Amino acid sequence: MTGRIIIDLFTTLDGVAQAPGGPEEDVSGEFPYGGWQAGYPSRAVGESVMAGMQTLDALLLGRRTYDIFAAYWPHHLDGPEGSIGRLFDRVPKYVASRDAAIDLAWQGSRRVGDDLPAEIAALRERHRDVHVIGSIDLAQTLLAEQLYDELQLWVYPVVLGRGKRVFPEGAAAHSMRLLSAESGDGGTLLLRYAPAAGEVRTGRVGA
């Protein structure tokens, strides 16, 4: 079995993916817009997120996102969010960190990060669909090193002008292949990309 590494990000029109879910999610850089996603509710986004959960069989998370999930989801195994809580509680959770002493108390959690390319290859052999949810710092690393199979961007109709971007200044130039593009309610878009082989092609327009 060769599984997939799927990066899931909520992003603004100007590519900011920092702290969409809440004010305290990621305040690095004195980011003032934590929780920006809450102002733009979308049923289509919710439905597409739930559809992706159907094949998810492992999580790959950055340290900050893991801590947020570990503090929340084990306590939400019932009620409206119970299906997500039970899924996240059940599947293996891989946490990218160079800190060998990291506290991973949530059941099914283990650290990765000593040799990320080799560890990603092992995850592809072990699982069907490994989802990287949020975890913008980790996502930037996976994108830069081409250690992913699909990038899912839920794009919201808002511009923030600051914050961590999916592709920051100095990101490695590379091409991507569009898998699908879907419009949703509230002005949202779901864009799905895969890596494309070869270097970025340049030329003269109209020549």
Side-chain angles (χ1 to χ4, degrees), residues 77-189:
L77 304 181
D78 299 303
E81 299 176 316
S83 61
I84 298 177
R86 291 189 297 273
L87 173 65
F88 287 176
D89 201 51
R90 183 177 70 251
V91 302
K93 292 160 282 286
Y94 301 93
V95 186
S97 174
R98 293 186 176 89
D99 181 4
I102 184 175
D103 180 18
L104 301 177
W106 192 8
Q107 66 174 6
S109 302
R110 61 176 293 184
R111 185 181 69 88
V112 296
D114 292 332
D115 185 352
L116 202 54
E119 290 162 326
I120 290 294
L123 292 182
R124 286 190 174 115
E125 292 301 317
R126 193 177 302 139
H127 298 288
R128 178 175 54 180
D129 281 351
V130 180
H131 281 250
V132 181
I133 300 176
S135 306
I136 181 60
D137 295 324
L138 172 61
Q140 289 174 346
T141 297
L142 298 176
L143 290 166
E145 299 185 19
Q146 300 282 284
L147 296 175
Y148 73 102
D149 300 284
E150 185 175 321
L151 171 64
Q152 294 193 126
L153 297 175
W154 286 275
V155 184
Y156 283 73
V158 58
V159 174
L160 299 180
R162 61 184 295 187
K164 296 178 182 178
R165 288 174 165 81
V166 179
F167 298 101
E169 183 71 23
H174 63 280
S175 299
M176 305 183 80
R177 177 169 55 91
L178 180 66
L179 299 175
S180 67
E182 303 173 19
S183 60
D185 55 324
T188 57
L189 291 172

